[in-house]
Amino acid sequence: MSSSNNNDTMNLTNDTNDDNNIEDELEWEEWDGTGSFWNHCVAGSIAGVAEHTLLYPVDTVKTHIQACASCPHNPNGAASSGSSSSSSSAMANLLKNTAAASSSSGGNSSRAAYNSSMVNRHTPSPPQGMMSTMRYIMTNQATTAAALNNSTTSTTNLIGAARLWRGVQTMVLGCIPAHALYFSSYEITKAYFISTSPTHELSYYGGMAAGAAATIGHDCVMTPLDTIKQRLQLGHYNGISHACKQMIQTEGLGSLFRSFPVTVLTNVPYGMIMVSTNELFKQKWTAPGEKLDLSTCLVSASIGGMVAAAATTPLDRMKTFLQTQQLQPACEQGTCPKLVGKPKGLSEGIKFIVKN
């Protein structure tokens, strides 16, 4: 009789351990205290590289939409309704002048012929939808940039889908140290709040503080690289070193960190909202003593990410304004020239976006 009870107890214990192991596997972003902490950081860094690389085309599309949204030359923008024909005319005139210059200077005849053919080609205005913008970047942008041959931007013209990954090397370079600092800051802060909690559990405000600390550490590394990344996405410069050199020479070292305050202002509430919302729904949908299943993790994380992104999109728009300084996509420089003048800060950006 006692042997049967012991077996039942052992089976119950094994089932409980299996449930705990499943829950620990689902909590992949948190260090369980076993194994090397640095292995956890490296694993998180590799996951970050994969995340940014796989979703990089979507980020490129977002950068183009945000950069063109308030452009006064964009016929789709609020401040320039009905200017589509004038924009197309300006592009046609620019291409015509380029063709004439090539012919008069004895340039390559095929180049001149190609530029001339571009004059009669309908040049669509930059779209604002996600899929239409993606197609525009891969087709119209590449061919128009090649026709203009603007040596002040980039001498490398990527064609097709490869154009969507322009500048991805910045993410590969920055994600490993940034995510290592992110995870270490998160774990240290989380451990502090757990140790000071009467119930030895992570409270909502503890999760928010851990997310904020992790985000600040992450942004110290990623802000300069993110600035370079967005300018490369728009078709400017020939690479990371060229962009860094040109920005420091023309705008000063501060140009690499100009967006840091608004980046932190964006990412801190993003991390706080995402972590707290994720934890809230996981606790709400998981009964005490019940194992945490995969579907709950996926849905909770998705809701947390969507709520955080929706709440911080206006701030992300401001970050793009500060980092690109109203640089337009390289292919649009005929109709959307770079605005010159002193570098613009947060207040100028808010006024410009609200006005237009």
Side-chain angles (χ1 to χ4, degrees):
M1 183 72 177
S2 62
S3 175
S4 177
N5 290 337
N6 290 335
N7 290 334
D8 292 341
T9 302
M10 292 178 62
N11 291 334
L12 180 60
T13 301
N14 291 333
D15 292 340
T16 302
N17 291 334
D18 291 340
D19 291 345
N20 290 335
N21 290 335
I22 294 175
E23 182 172 348
D24 290 340
E25 291 176 359
L26 294 176
E27 294 290 350
W28 59 272
E29 285 191 316
E30 299 182 6
W31 182 47
D32 58 6
T34 62
S36 172
F37 175 71
W38 291 111
N39 287 344
H40 174 72
C41 291
V42 172
S45 300
I46 295 174
V49 171
E51 171 197 354
H52 287 288
T53 302
L54 295 175
L55 295 177
Y56 194 81
V58 179
D59 187 71
T60 298
V61 171
K62 184 199 73 170
T63 298
H64 277 75
I65 292 175
Q66 290 181 336
C68 291
S70 295
C71 175
H73 299 279
N74 182 3
N76 292 326
S80 55
S81 301
S83 63
S84 178
S85 59
S86 62
S87 297
S88 299
S89 176
M91 176 64 78
N93 290 333
L94 180 65
L95 291 170
K96 185 181 295 182
N97 293 336
T98 304
S102 299
S103 301
S104 62
S105 60
N108 188 289
S109 59
S110 62
R111 166 66 65 183
Y114 179 74
N115 288 339
S116 297
S117 67
M118 289 292 290
V119 173
N120 298 321
R121 175 184 173 182
H122 173 65
T123 304
S125 59
Q128 292 186 325
M130 178 177 172
M131 296 307 298
S132 57
T133 300
M134 185 175 294
R135 289 192 296 267
Y136 181 83
I137 294 172
M138 292 190 294
T139 56
N140 183 73
Q141 175 159 324
T143 55
T144 309
L148 293 176
N149 193 21
N150 193 337
S151 60
T152 62
T153 55
S154 170
T155 59
T156 303
N157 294 312
L158 296 178
I159 305 298
R163 177 62 184 84
L164 297 173
W165 269 273
R166 191 174 196 272
V168 70
Q169 62 269 32
T170 57
M171 297 294 98
V172 177
L173 179 65
C175 276
I176 293 179
H179 280 75
L181 190 57
Y182 179 94
F183 284 106
S184 59
S185 301
Y186 179 82
E187 293 297 338
I188 292 173
T189 307
K190 187 184 75 170
Y192 170 78
F193 279 97
I194 291 177
S195 65
T196 57
S197 172
T199 60
H200 294 286
E201 294 181 352
L202 184 64
S203 60
Y204 297 135
Y205 62 84
M208 295 172 69
T215 301
I216 292 175
H218 173 274
D219 290 346
C220 289
V221 177
M222 290 301 296
T223 296
L225 291 171
D226 192 65
T227 300
I228 294 174
K229 176 206 73 175
Q230 288 199 315
R231 297 193 179 199
L232 290 173
Q233 286 176 326
L234 294 176
H236 300 278
Y237 311 113
N238 293 322
I240 297 178
S241 59
H242 181 232
C244 187
K245 180 180 178 180
Q246 291 295 317
M247 290 179 66
I248 293 176
Q249 286 182 349
T250 59
E251 302 176 48
L253 182 62
S255 62
L256 296 173
F257 294 91
R258 185 179 293 123
S259 67
F260 181 77
V262 73
T263 299
V264 173
L265 190 63
T266 302
N267 290 340
V268 167
Y270 180 93
M272 293 168 63
I273 295 171
M274 183 182 65
V275 172
S276 59
T277 304
N278 181 35
E279 293 294 333
L280 173 65
F281 280 99
K282 284 197 299 185
Q283 294 181 19
K284 182 180 180 62
W285 291 337
T286 304
E290 181 182 346
K291 68 177 182 180
L292 181 64
D293 56 60
L294 179 60
S295 60
T296 300
C297 280
L298 292 176
V299 175
S300 299
S302 299
I303 294 176
M306 287 189 294
V307 172
T312 57
T313 292
L315 293 171
D316 185 71
R317 171 84 178 277
M318 287 305 311
K319 183 186 74 171
T320 298
F321 180 93
L322 294 176
Q323 291 183 165
T324 61
Q325 288 295 297
Q326 294 182 289
L327 283 171
Q328 297 301 316
C331 72
E332 290 298 316
Q333 285 199 343
T335 54
C336 300
K338 178 179 69 173
L339 301 183
V340 296
K342 67 177 182 178
K344 299 171 180 61
L346 182 60
S347 60
E348 291 90 346
I350 294 175
K351 291 178 182 178
F352 180 84
I353 290 178
V354 172
K355 179 181 178 180
N356 292 280

